[in-house]
Amino acid sequence: MAQNIYDREDFFAGYSTLPRSVKGLAGAPEWPAVRALLPPLRGRRIVDLGCGFGWFARFAAEEGAASVLALDLSENMLARARRESAHPAVTYDAADLDTLELPAASFDLAHGALAFHYVADFARLAGVVHRALAPGGALLFTVEHPIYMASRQPRWLALPDGGRAWPVDHYSVEGERRTDWFARGVLKYHRTLGTTLNTLIAAGFAIRHVNEWSPTPEQLADEPALADEIDRPMMVIIRADR
Amino acid sequence: MAQNIYDREDFFAGYSTLPRSVKGLAGAPEWPAVRALLPPLRGRRIVDLGCGFGWFARFAAEEGAASVLALDLSENMLARARRESAHPAVTYDAADLDTLELPAASFDLAHGALAFHYVADFARLAGVVHRALAPGGALLFTVEHPIYMASRQPRWLALPDGGRAWPVDHYSVEGERRTDWFARGVLKYHRTLGTTLNTLIAAGFAIRHVNEWSPTPEQLADEPALADEIDRPMMVIIRADR
């Protein structure tokens, strides 16, 4: 079973203060880029893998999705999602992405926001999602970028001639990474971008788009801290079609 | 026109001392991984983009390729290729990848070894290559990895808790990078991995495999300096099919 960090009170309290937790999709600067890669949602059957507070699930329902099955490991998350993001078309349910089973050819879109780096066996998950999609269906997800996650000491470094850089080391050494983020020892899984893409291809997906997300000039002017994302991507957005 | 660095005597003299220049494919540690992604060569029509000393062109001809059109910008390279890598099936010719034209549907495989990062307009090149391939044809190439190329100060840094890391900064700032490598001011073009892949997809290619190359344990035992490639990839191998 995956580490259920979101049900630890210290972590949950901290996570709940993030802009994306308070403001929802409007607090997630990558959201416009994600939205641009969405297929039409009206009348579609959607599964949201790692639904968190339900921001995307409710958005999809409001866009006219026929149904949204919104899954999360954390009962904390699900309780708040059911309370604050309820919609007749959305069903919230508990599921562990490491052991997920889904009915075959039952969804038109699988969505996952910053959840898959908690999954130990991405090949298993990719296979489950591919089988669960109807022909022509799409998988659209964000995941922590391996550039962000690779290093054993993932903190900005001063460069000798001025400026700063993000360290990359052990990039090709895949597997567990533990970081302190609102709690000690948060467990994530590092995979190279090549591995993520090859795993999708091996599962039968066609790679449609790969966006190593960075802000637009307008976003940067509004929120100067996003300059970090220009120096090194923290996340990658991938769309892959069945 | 692309910077013709390989026709500068200081650069050419230095480049000629590299293991891959002296030993050919056997001196290129990524070669086994590239070879594993090759389609069958017997009877096929091949274009080699940036053929250098002709090592790959001769290999392909010896594997039974029907024809190999081997192109390079550098007369230095071509002269040595014609002298040392001649084969009846291989034609060496001068071409600038920035202005390349190729006949439509005339090749079964396009190959490029560490040449495309010298190309300013990769979208143009991808389109030219896609049109030049017959249906079912393949593009297989290596290119410098954007992790390797992004930084304004691309040199190893000591980490505060020991060890070292490769700096990544300005990753999303695409365009020119100048480095001193056997000569001052060698001009390369930085593109994110996402841009390279999306450009191929937009040209009509299906992404088949993405290998951010690192050595095998056996290679590392033979050549400990390859540990660099485990910490940060210097190149990526991409196969994309028409």
Side-chain angles (χ1 to χ4, degrees), chain A residues 147 153 155 159-162 164-173 192-194 197-198 201 207-210 212 214 230-231 233, chain B residues 147 153 155 159-162 164-173 192-194 197-198 201 207-210 212 214 230-231 233:
Chain A
I147 286 177
Q153 298 173 55
R155 298 182 292 276
L159 285 166
D161 299 340
R164 52 126 196 223
W166 189 259
V168 171
D169 54 89
H170 298 83
Y171 184 83
S172 80
V173 183
T192 69
L193 192 49
L197 296 171
N198 296 336
I201 294 166
I207 305 301
R208 173 88 172 262
H209 201 83
V210 179
E212 300 174 279
S214 66
I230 290 173
D231 274 330
Chain B
I147 287 176
Q153 298 174 55
R155 299 181 293 276
L159 285 167
D161 299 342
R164 52 121 196 227
W166 189 257
V168 172
D169 53 271
H170 299 82
Y171 184 83
S172 79
V173 182
T192 69
L193 193 49
L197 296 171
N198 295 337
I201 294 166
I207 305 300
R208 175 87 173 261
H209 200 83
V210 178
E212 299 174 280
S214 66
I230 291 173
D231 274 330

Short mmCIF file of all heavy atoms in Angstrom, two decimals, chain A residues 147 153 155 159-162 164-173 192-194 197-198 201 207-210 212 214 230-231 233, chain B residues 147 153 155 159-162 164-173 192-194 197-198 201 207-210 212 214 230-231 233:
data_model
loop_
_atom_site.label_atom_id
_atom_site.label_comp_id
_atom_site.label_asym_id
_atom_site.label_seq_id
_atom_site.Cartn_x
_atom_site.Cartn_y
_atom_site.Cartn_z
N ILE A 147 13.87 16.02 -12.96
CA ILE A 147 14.93 17.00 -12.67
C ILE A 147 14.76 17.52 -11.25
O ILE A 147 15.74 17.74 -10.53
CB ILE A 147 14.87 18.18 -13.68
CG1 ILE A 147 15.38 17.74 -15.05
CG2 ILE A 147 15.65 19.39 -13.16
CD1 ILE A 147 15.28 18.83 -16.13
N GLN A 153 20.27 15.90 -2.55
CA GLN A 153 20.25 17.15 -1.78
C GLN A 153 19.52 18.22 -2.61
O GLN A 153 20.14 19.15 -3.12
CB GLN A 153 21.68 17.60 -1.46
CG GLN A 153 22.45 16.59 -0.58
CD GLN A 153 23.92 16.95 -0.40
OE1 GLN A 153 24.24 18.04 0.05
NE2 GLN A 153 24.80 16.02 -0.74
N ARG A 155 18.20 21.11 -3.16
CA ARG A 155 18.11 22.51 -2.71
C ARG A 155 18.94 23.37 -3.66
O ARG A 155 19.96 22.93 -4.17
CB ARG A 155 18.69 22.65 -1.29
CG ARG A 155 17.95 21.84 -0.23
CD ARG A 155 18.52 22.06 1.16
NE ARG A 155 19.86 21.51 1.33
CZ ARG A 155 20.15 20.25 1.63
NH1 ARG A 155 19.18 19.35 1.79
NH2 ARG A 155 21.40 19.85 1.76
N LEU A 159 25.92 29.45 -7.81
CA LEU A 159 26.88 29.18 -8.88
C LEU A 159 28.13 30.02 -8.66
O LEU A 159 28.05 31.14 -8.15
CB LEU A 159 26.26 29.50 -10.24
CG LEU A 159 25.24 28.48 -10.73
CD1 LEU A 159 24.44 29.05 -11.91
CD2 LEU A 159 25.93 27.19 -11.14
N PRO A 160 29.29 29.50 -9.08
CA PRO A 160 30.55 30.23 -8.81
C PRO A 160 30.57 31.62 -9.42
O PRO A 160 31.12 32.55 -8.82
CB PRO A 160 31.63 29.33 -9.41
CG PRO A 160 30.95 28.19 -10.06
CD PRO A 160 29.52 28.19 -9.68
N ASP A 161 29.98 31.81 -10.59
CA ASP A 161 30.01 33.13 -11.23
C ASP A 161 28.73 33.93 -10.97
O ASP A 161 28.41 34.85 -11.73
CB ASP A 161 30.23 32.97 -12.74
CG ASP A 161 31.55 32.27 -13.05
OD1 ASP A 161 32.42 32.26 -12.16
OD2 ASP A 161 31.68 31.74 -14.16
N GLY A 162 28.01 33.58 -9.92
CA GLY A 162 26.78 34.29 -9.60
C GLY A 162 25.57 33.54 -10.10
O GLY A 162 25.66 32.69 -11.00
N ARG A 164 22.18 31.04 -9.44
CA ARG A 164 21.93 29.82 -8.70
C ARG A 164 21.49 28.74 -9.67
O ARG A 164 21.06 29.03 -10.80
CB ARG A 164 20.85 30.05 -7.65
CG ARG A 164 19.60 30.68 -8.27
CD ARG A 164 18.38 29.92 -7.98
NE ARG A 164 17.30 30.33 -8.88
CZ ARG A 164 16.06 30.53 -8.49
NH1 ARG A 164 15.73 30.41 -7.24
NH2 ARG A 164 15.12 30.82 -9.39
N ALA A 165 21.59 27.52 -9.21
CA ALA A 165 21.17 26.40 -10.06
C ALA A 165 20.55 25.33 -9.18
O ALA A 165 20.78 25.28 -7.96
CB ALA A 165 22.37 25.82 -10.82
N TRP A 166 19.78 24.48 -9.81
CA TRP A 166 19.19 23.32 -9.13
C TRP A 166 20.12 22.13 -9.37
O TRP A 166 20.58 21.94 -10.50
CB TRP A 166 17.81 23.03 -9.70
CG TRP A 166 17.05 22.00 -8.92
CD1 TRP A 166 16.89 20.68 -9.22
CD2 TRP A 166 16.37 22.22 -7.68
NE1 TRP A 166 16.15 20.07 -8.26
CE2 TRP A 166 15.81 20.98 -7.30
CE3 TRP A 166 16.18 23.33 -6.85
CZ2 TRP A 166 15.07 20.82 -6.13
CZ3 TRP A 166 15.44 23.18 -5.69
CH2 TRP A 166 14.89 21.94 -5.34
N PRO A 167 20.42 21.36 -8.34
CA PRO A 167 21.34 20.24 -8.52
C PRO A 167 20.66 19.02 -9.15
O PRO A 167 19.52 18.68 -8.81
CB PRO A 167 21.76 19.91 -7.09
CG PRO A 167 20.57 20.29 -6.26
CD PRO A 167 19.94 21.49 -6.95
N VAL A 168 21.35 18.41 -10.08
CA VAL A 168 20.92 17.12 -10.61
C VAL A 168 22.04 16.12 -10.37
O VAL A 168 23.17 16.33 -10.81
CB VAL A 168 20.58 17.20 -12.12
CG1 VAL A 168 20.34 15.80 -12.69
CG2 VAL A 168 19.35 18.07 -12.34
N ASP A 169 21.72 15.08 -9.63
CA ASP A 169 22.64 13.96 -9.43
C ASP A 169 21.79 12.71 -9.24
O ASP A 169 20.61 12.80 -8.92
CB ASP A 169 23.54 14.20 -8.21
CG ASP A 169 22.78 14.54 -6.94
OD1 ASP A 169 22.42 13.60 -6.21
OD2 ASP A 169 22.50 15.75 -6.70
N HIS A 170 22.39 11.55 -9.52
CA HIS A 170 21.67 10.28 -9.42
C HIS A 170 20.43 10.25 -10.31
O HIS A 170 19.46 9.55 -9.99
CB HIS A 170 21.29 9.99 -7.95
CG HIS A 170 22.47 9.85 -7.04
ND1 HIS A 170 23.11 10.94 -6.49
CD2 HIS A 170 23.15 8.76 -6.61
CE1 HIS A 170 24.12 10.52 -5.73
NE2 HIS A 170 24.17 9.21 -5.81
N TYR A 171 20.48 10.99 -11.41
CA TYR A 171 19.30 11.07 -12.28
C TYR A 171 18.87 9.68 -12.77
O TYR A 171 17.68 9.38 -12.82
CB TYR A 171 19.57 11.98 -13.47
CG TYR A 171 18.36 12.17 -14.36
CD1 TYR A 171 17.39 13.12 -14.04
CD2 TYR A 171 18.17 11.40 -15.50
CE1 TYR A 171 16.26 13.29 -14.83
CE2 TYR A 171 17.05 11.56 -16.30
CZ TYR A 171 16.10 12.50 -15.96
OH TYR A 171 14.98 12.66 -16.75
N SER A 172 19.84 8.86 -13.14
CA SER A 172 19.45 7.56 -13.70
C SER A 172 19.23 6.49 -12.64
O SER A 172 18.92 5.34 -12.97
CB SER A 172 20.49 7.08 -14.72
OG SER A 172 21.59 6.51 -14.07
N VAL A 173 19.38 6.86 -11.37
CA VAL A 173 19.14 5.92 -10.28
C VAL A 173 17.67 6.06 -9.86
O VAL A 173 17.31 6.96 -9.09
CB VAL A 173 20.08 6.18 -9.08
CG1 VAL A 173 19.84 5.13 -7.99
CG2 VAL A 173 21.54 6.15 -9.54
N THR A 192 12.98 8.41 -14.51
CA THR A 192 13.40 9.34 -15.55
C THR A 192 12.20 9.64 -16.44
O THR A 192 11.23 8.88 -16.50
CB THR A 192 14.54 8.76 -16.42
OG1 THR A 192 14.03 7.68 -17.21
CG2 THR A 192 15.70 8.25 -15.55
N LEU A 193 12.28 10.76 -17.14
CA LEU A 193 11.20 11.09 -18.06
C LEU A 193 11.10 10.02 -19.15
O LEU A 193 10.00 9.63 -19.56
CB LEU A 193 11.46 12.47 -18.66
CG LEU A 193 10.34 13.14 -19.42
CD1 LEU A 193 9.02 13.12 -18.67
CD2 LEU A 193 10.73 14.57 -19.77
N GLY A 194 12.26 9.53 -19.59
CA GLY A 194 12.27 8.45 -20.58
C GLY A 194 11.50 7.23 -20.08
O GLY A 194 10.69 6.65 -20.81
N LEU A 197 7.73 7.86 -20.16
CA LEU A 197 7.19 7.82 -21.52
C LEU A 197 7.23 6.41 -22.09
O LEU A 197 6.25 5.95 -22.70
CB LEU A 197 7.97 8.79 -22.41
CG LEU A 197 7.85 10.26 -22.00
CD1 LEU A 197 8.83 11.12 -22.80
CD2 LEU A 197 6.43 10.77 -22.19
N ASN A 198 8.34 5.70 -21.89
CA ASN A 198 8.44 4.34 -22.43
C ASN A 198 7.44 3.40 -21.77
O ASN A 198 6.93 2.48 -22.41
CB ASN A 198 9.87 3.81 -22.26
CG ASN A 198 10.88 4.61 -23.06
OD1 ASN A 198 10.52 5.25 -24.05
ND2 ASN A 198 12.13 4.60 -22.62
N ILE A 201 4.17 4.06 -23.49
CA ILE A 201 4.20 3.47 -24.84
C ILE A 201 4.05 1.96 -24.75
O ILE A 201 3.28 1.35 -25.51
CB ILE A 201 5.51 3.87 -25.56
CG1 ILE A 201 5.53 5.40 -25.81
CG2 ILE A 201 5.66 3.12 -26.88
CD1 ILE A 201 6.89 5.95 -26.20
N ILE A 207 1.99 8.87 -27.26
CA ILE A 207 2.34 10.13 -26.60
C ILE A 207 1.82 11.28 -27.45
O ILE A 207 2.13 11.38 -28.64
CB ILE A 207 3.87 10.25 -26.41
CG1 ILE A 207 4.44 9.04 -25.66
CG2 ILE A 207 4.21 11.56 -25.68
CD1 ILE A 207 3.88 8.80 -24.29
N ARG A 208 1.05 12.14 -26.82
CA ARG A 208 0.44 13.22 -27.57
C ARG A 208 1.11 14.56 -27.27
O ARG A 208 1.25 15.41 -28.16
CB ARG A 208 -1.04 13.26 -27.18
CG ARG A 208 -1.82 14.39 -27.73
CD ARG A 208 -2.40 14.10 -29.10
NE ARG A 208 -3.30 15.19 -29.45
CZ ARG A 208 -4.61 15.17 -29.32
NH1 ARG A 208 -5.22 14.07 -28.91
NH2 ARG A 208 -5.34 16.21 -29.61
N HIS A 209 1.52 14.77 -26.01
CA HIS A 209 2.16 16.04 -25.65
C HIS A 209 2.93 15.88 -24.33
O HIS A 209 2.48 15.18 -23.43
CB HIS A 209 1.10 17.14 -25.49
CG HIS A 209 1.67 18.52 -25.61
ND1 HIS A 209 1.88 19.13 -26.83
CD2 HIS A 209 2.11 19.42 -24.68
CE1 HIS A 209 2.40 20.33 -26.64
NE2 HIS A 209 2.55 20.53 -25.34
N VAL A 210 4.07 16.55 -24.27
CA VAL A 210 4.92 16.54 -23.07
C VAL A 210 5.28 17.99 -22.77
O VAL A 210 5.98 18.64 -23.54
CB VAL A 210 6.20 15.72 -23.30
CG1 VAL A 210 7.08 15.75 -22.04
CG2 VAL A 210 5.87 14.28 -23.69
N GLU A 212 7.05 20.32 -20.08
CA GLU A 212 7.85 20.52 -18.85
C GLU A 212 7.52 21.92 -18.39
O GLU A 212 8.13 22.90 -18.82
CB GLU A 212 9.32 20.33 -19.19
CG GLU A 212 9.59 18.92 -19.72
CD GLU A 212 11.01 18.73 -20.22
OE1 GLU A 212 11.29 19.15 -21.37
OE2 GLU A 212 11.83 18.20 -19.45
N SER A 214 6.55 25.56 -17.38
CA SER A 214 7.13 26.81 -16.87
C SER A 214 6.10 27.91 -17.10
O SER A 214 5.19 27.77 -17.93
CB SER A 214 8.45 27.14 -17.57
OG SER A 214 8.24 27.42 -18.94
N ILE A 230 11.34 28.45 -14.22
CA ILE A 230 12.07 28.70 -15.46
C ILE A 230 13.46 28.09 -15.36
O ILE A 230 13.99 27.56 -16.34
CB ILE A 230 12.13 30.22 -15.72
CG1 ILE A 230 10.72 30.70 -16.08
CG2 ILE A 230 13.14 30.57 -16.82
CD1 ILE A 230 10.59 32.19 -16.21
N ASP A 231 14.04 28.13 -14.17
CA ASP A 231 15.38 27.54 -14.00
C ASP A 231 15.35 26.03 -14.03
O ASP A 231 16.27 25.40 -14.56
CB ASP A 231 16.01 28.03 -12.69
CG ASP A 231 16.74 29.37 -12.87
OD1 ASP A 231 17.24 29.62 -13.99
OD2 ASP A 231 16.80 30.15 -11.92
N PRO A 233 12.23 22.74 -14.15
CA PRO A 233 10.82 22.39 -14.03
C PRO A 233 10.56 21.55 -12.78
O PRO A 233 11.32 20.64 -12.47
CB PRO A 233 10.55 21.59 -15.31
CG PRO A 233 11.89 21.04 -15.71
CD PRO A 233 12.90 22.06 -15.26
N ILE B 147 19.29 18.66 -20.02
CA ILE B 147 19.85 18.77 -18.66
C ILE B 147 21.33 19.15 -18.74
O ILE B 147 21.83 19.95 -17.95
CB ILE B 147 19.68 17.43 -17.89
CG1 ILE B 147 18.23 17.22 -17.49
CG2 ILE B 147 20.60 17.38 -16.67
CD1 ILE B 147 17.96 15.88 -16.81
N GLN B 153 26.43 27.96 -16.62
CA GLN B 153 27.74 27.59 -16.07
C GLN B 153 27.79 26.06 -15.93
O GLN B 153 27.75 25.52 -14.82
CB GLN B 153 27.96 28.26 -14.70
CG GLN B 153 27.95 29.80 -14.79
CD GLN B 153 28.02 30.46 -13.42
OE1 GLN B 153 28.91 30.19 -12.62
NE2 GLN B 153 27.06 31.33 -13.14
N ARG B 155 29.17 23.22 -15.30
CA ARG B 155 30.32 22.53 -14.68
C ARG B 155 29.86 21.90 -13.37
O ARG B 155 29.01 22.47 -12.67
CB ARG B 155 31.45 23.53 -14.38
CG ARG B 155 32.01 24.23 -15.62
CD ARG B 155 33.14 25.18 -15.27
NE ARG B 155 32.73 26.33 -14.49
CZ ARG B 155 32.21 27.46 -15.00
NH1 ARG B 155 32.03 27.57 -16.30
NH2 ARG B 155 31.87 28.46 -14.22
N LEU B 159 28.35 19.56 -3.61
CA LEU B 159 27.14 19.65 -2.80
C LEU B 159 27.52 19.92 -1.34
O LEU B 159 28.57 19.45 -0.88
CB LEU B 159 26.33 18.36 -2.91
CG LEU B 159 25.57 18.18 -4.22
CD1 LEU B 159 25.08 16.74 -4.36
CD2 LEU B 159 24.40 19.15 -4.30
N PRO B 160 26.68 20.64 -0.62
CA PRO B 160 27.04 21.02 0.76
C PRO B 160 27.29 19.82 1.67
O PRO B 160 28.17 19.87 2.54
CB PRO B 160 25.84 21.85 1.24
CG PRO B 160 24.83 21.82 0.16
CD PRO B 160 25.43 21.26 -1.07
N ASP B 161 26.56 18.73 1.48
CA ASP B 161 26.75 17.56 2.35
C ASP B 161 27.63 16.50 1.71
O ASP B 161 27.59 15.32 2.08
CB ASP B 161 25.37 16.95 2.70
CG ASP B 161 24.48 17.93 3.43
OD1 ASP B 161 25.02 18.92 3.97
OD2 ASP B 161 23.26 17.72 3.46
N GLY B 162 28.46 16.93 0.75
CA GLY B 162 29.35 15.98 0.09
C GLY B 162 28.77 15.52 -1.23
O GLY B 162 27.58 15.61 -1.47
N ARG B 164 28.66 15.62 -5.50
CA ARG B 164 28.64 16.68 -6.50
C ARG B 164 27.35 16.56 -7.30
O ARG B 164 26.67 15.53 -7.27
CB ARG B 164 29.85 16.52 -7.42
CG ARG B 164 29.96 15.10 -8.00
CD ARG B 164 29.94 15.09 -9.48
NE ARG B 164 29.67 13.75 -9.96
CZ ARG B 164 30.35 13.15 -10.92
NH1 ARG B 164 31.39 13.73 -11.46
NH2 ARG B 164 29.98 11.96 -11.36
N ALA B 165 27.04 17.64 -7.98
CA ALA B 165 25.82 17.65 -8.80
C ALA B 165 26.09 18.48 -10.04
O ALA B 165 27.00 19.31 -10.08
CB ALA B 165 24.64 18.24 -8.01
N TRP B 166 25.27 18.26 -11.04
CA TRP B 166 25.30 19.04 -12.26
C TRP B 166 24.27 20.16 -12.13
O TRP B 166 23.16 19.92 -11.68
CB TRP B 166 24.96 18.16 -13.47
CG TRP B 166 25.19 18.84 -14.78
CD1 TRP B 166 24.26 19.39 -15.59
CD2 TRP B 166 26.45 19.03 -15.43
NE1 TRP B 166 24.85 19.91 -16.72
CE2 TRP B 166 26.21 19.71 -16.64
CE3 TRP B 166 27.77 18.69 -15.10
CZ2 TRP B 166 27.21 20.06 -17.53
CZ3 TRP B 166 28.79 19.04 -15.98
CH2 TRP B 166 28.51 19.72 -17.18
N PRO B 167 24.65 21.39 -12.50
CA PRO B 167 23.70 22.50 -12.35
C PRO B 167 22.66 22.53 -13.46
O PRO B 167 23.00 22.32 -14.63
CB PRO B 167 24.61 23.73 -12.43
CG PRO B 167 25.73 23.30 -13.33
CD PRO B 167 25.94 21.83 -13.05
N VAL B 168 21.44 22.80 -13.08
CA VAL B 168 20.38 23.08 -14.06
C VAL B 168 19.80 24.46 -13.74
O VAL B 168 19.34 24.71 -12.63
CB VAL B 168 19.27 22.01 -14.03
CG1 VAL B 168 18.10 22.44 -14.91
CG2 VAL B 168 19.82 20.68 -14.53
N ASP B 169 19.90 25.36 -14.71
CA ASP B 169 19.28 26.68 -14.61
C ASP B 169 18.92 27.11 -16.02
O ASP B 169 19.49 26.61 -16.99
CB ASP B 169 20.22 27.68 -13.93
CG ASP B 169 21.59 27.75 -14.58
OD1 ASP B 169 22.50 26.98 -14.19
OD2 ASP B 169 21.76 28.57 -15.51
N HIS B 170 17.95 28.02 -16.12
CA HIS B 170 17.48 28.48 -17.44
C HIS B 170 17.00 27.33 -18.32
O HIS B 170 17.08 27.40 -19.54
CB HIS B 170 18.59 29.26 -18.17
CG HIS B 170 19.03 30.49 -17.42
ND1 HIS B 170 19.95 30.46 -16.39
CD2 HIS B 170 18.66 31.79 -17.53
CE1 HIS B 170 20.13 31.68 -15.92
NE2 HIS B 170 19.37 32.50 -16.58
N TYR B 171 16.48 26.28 -17.68
CA TYR B 171 16.06 25.11 -18.46
C TYR B 171 15.00 25.46 -19.49
O TYR B 171 15.03 24.98 -20.63
CB TYR B 171 15.53 24.01 -17.52
CG TYR B 171 15.16 22.74 -18.25
CD1 TYR B 171 16.13 21.80 -18.58
CD2 TYR B 171 13.85 22.49 -18.65
CE1 TYR B 171 15.81 20.64 -19.26
CE2 TYR B 171 13.51 21.33 -19.33
CZ TYR B 171 14.50 20.41 -19.64
OH TYR B 171 14.18 19.26 -20.33
N SER B 172 14.05 26.30 -19.10
CA SER B 172 12.96 26.60 -20.04
C SER B 172 13.31 27.75 -21.00
O SER B 172 12.47 28.12 -21.83
CB SER B 172 11.66 26.90 -19.29
OG SER B 172 11.66 28.22 -18.81
N VAL B 173 14.51 28.29 -20.87
CA VAL B 173 14.93 29.36 -21.78
C VAL B 173 15.65 28.70 -22.96
O VAL B 173 16.84 28.37 -22.89
CB VAL B 173 15.86 30.38 -21.08
CG1 VAL B 173 16.24 31.50 -22.04
CG2 VAL B 173 15.19 30.94 -19.83
N THR B 192 14.06 22.10 -24.69
CA THR B 192 13.64 21.17 -23.66
C THR B 192 13.32 19.82 -24.33
O THR B 192 13.04 19.75 -25.53
CB THR B 192 12.40 21.66 -22.91
OG1 THR B 192 11.27 21.62 -23.79
CG2 THR B 192 12.60 23.09 -22.39
N LEU B 193 13.35 18.78 -23.52
CA LEU B 193 12.99 17.47 -24.05
C LEU B 193 11.54 17.49 -24.54
O LEU B 193 11.21 16.92 -25.59
CB LEU B 193 13.20 16.41 -22.97
CG LEU B 193 13.17 14.95 -23.39
CD1 LEU B 193 14.04 14.67 -24.61
CD2 LEU B 193 13.60 14.06 -22.22
N GLY B 194 10.68 18.20 -23.81
CA GLY B 194 9.29 18.32 -24.24
C GLY B 194 9.18 18.95 -25.61
O GLY B 194 8.43 18.47 -26.48
N LEU B 197 10.23 16.47 -28.33
CA LEU B 197 9.21 15.44 -28.56
C LEU B 197 7.96 16.03 -29.22
O LEU B 197 7.42 15.46 -30.17
CB LEU B 197 8.85 14.76 -27.24
CG LEU B 197 10.00 13.99 -26.59
CD1 LEU B 197 9.62 13.54 -25.18
CD2 LEU B 197 10.42 12.79 -27.44
N ASN B 198 7.51 17.18 -28.74
CA ASN B 198 6.31 17.80 -29.32
C ASN B 198 6.54 18.22 -30.77
O ASN B 198 5.61 18.17 -31.58
CB ASN B 198 5.88 19.00 -28.48
CG ASN B 198 5.46 18.59 -27.07
OD1 ASN B 198 5.06 17.45 -26.83
ND2 ASN B 198 5.56 19.52 -26.14
N ILE B 201 6.16 15.08 -32.78
CA ILE B 201 4.73 14.71 -32.85
C ILE B 201 4.00 15.64 -33.83
O ILE B 201 3.22 15.18 -34.67
CB ILE B 201 4.10 14.76 -31.45
CG1 ILE B 201 4.72 13.68 -30.55
CG2 ILE B 201 2.58 14.60 -31.52
CD1 ILE B 201 4.42 13.85 -29.05
N ILE B 207 6.13 8.78 -31.26
CA ILE B 207 7.29 8.54 -30.39
C ILE B 207 7.32 7.05 -30.03
O ILE B 207 6.35 6.50 -29.52
CB ILE B 207 7.20 9.39 -29.10
CG1 ILE B 207 7.04 10.88 -29.43
CG2 ILE B 207 8.43 9.14 -28.22
CD1 ILE B 207 8.17 11.47 -30.25
N ARG B 208 8.45 6.45 -30.29
CA ARG B 208 8.56 5.01 -30.06
C ARG B 208 9.39 4.70 -28.82
O ARG B 208 9.09 3.78 -28.08
CB ARG B 208 9.20 4.40 -31.31
CG ARG B 208 9.53 2.97 -31.25
CD ARG B 208 8.37 2.07 -31.64
NE ARG B 208 8.87 0.71 -31.70
CZ ARG B 208 9.22 0.09 -32.82
NH1 ARG B 208 9.04 0.68 -33.97
NH2 ARG B 208 9.71 -1.14 -32.78
N HIS B 209 10.45 5.48 -28.59
CA HIS B 209 11.32 5.22 -27.42
C HIS B 209 12.15 6.46 -27.10
O HIS B 209 12.59 7.17 -28.02
CB HIS B 209 12.25 4.04 -27.70
CG HIS B 209 12.79 3.41 -26.45
ND1 HIS B 209 12.10 2.47 -25.72
CD2 HIS B 209 13.95 3.62 -25.77
CE1 HIS B 209 12.81 2.12 -24.67
NE2 HIS B 209 13.94 2.80 -24.67
N VAL B 210 12.33 6.71 -25.81
CA VAL B 210 13.13 7.84 -25.33
C VAL B 210 14.10 7.28 -24.28
O VAL B 210 13.68 6.83 -23.22
CB VAL B 210 12.24 8.93 -24.70
CG1 VAL B 210 13.10 10.08 -24.17
CG2 VAL B 210 11.22 9.44 -25.71
N GLU B 212 17.20 8.28 -22.01
CA GLU B 212 18.13 9.27 -21.45
C GLU B 212 19.35 8.46 -21.02
O GLU B 212 19.41 7.93 -19.92
CB GLU B 212 17.46 9.99 -20.29
CG GLU B 212 16.21 10.73 -20.76
CD GLU B 212 15.42 11.34 -19.63
OE1 GLU B 212 14.66 10.59 -18.97
OE2 GLU B 212 15.57 12.56 -19.38
N SER B 214 22.33 6.19 -19.95
CA SER B 214 23.31 5.99 -18.88
C SER B 214 23.93 4.62 -19.08
O SER B 214 23.35 3.76 -19.75
CB SER B 214 22.67 6.11 -17.50
OG SER B 214 21.75 5.06 -17.28
N ILE B 230 25.51 8.74 -14.99
CA ILE B 230 24.50 8.28 -14.04
C ILE B 230 23.96 9.48 -13.26
O ILE B 230 22.78 9.56 -12.96
CB ILE B 230 25.10 7.21 -13.11
CG1 ILE B 230 25.36 5.94 -13.93
CG2 ILE B 230 24.20 6.92 -11.91
CD1 ILE B 230 26.10 4.86 -13.19
N ASP B 231 24.85 10.42 -12.96
CA ASP B 231 24.40 11.61 -12.23
C ASP B 231 23.56 12.54 -13.09
O ASP B 231 22.60 13.14 -12.61
CB ASP B 231 25.60 12.37 -11.66
CG ASP B 231 26.01 11.82 -10.30
OD1 ASP B 231 25.12 11.33 -9.57
OD2 ASP B 231 27.20 11.88 -9.97
N PRO B 233 22.30 12.86 -17.43
CA PRO B 233 22.49 12.37 -18.79
C PRO B 233 23.10 13.46 -19.68
O PRO B 233 22.72 14.62 -19.61
CB PRO B 233 21.08 12.02 -19.24
CG PRO B 233 20.18 12.87 -18.40
CD PRO B 233 20.88 13.03 -17.08
#
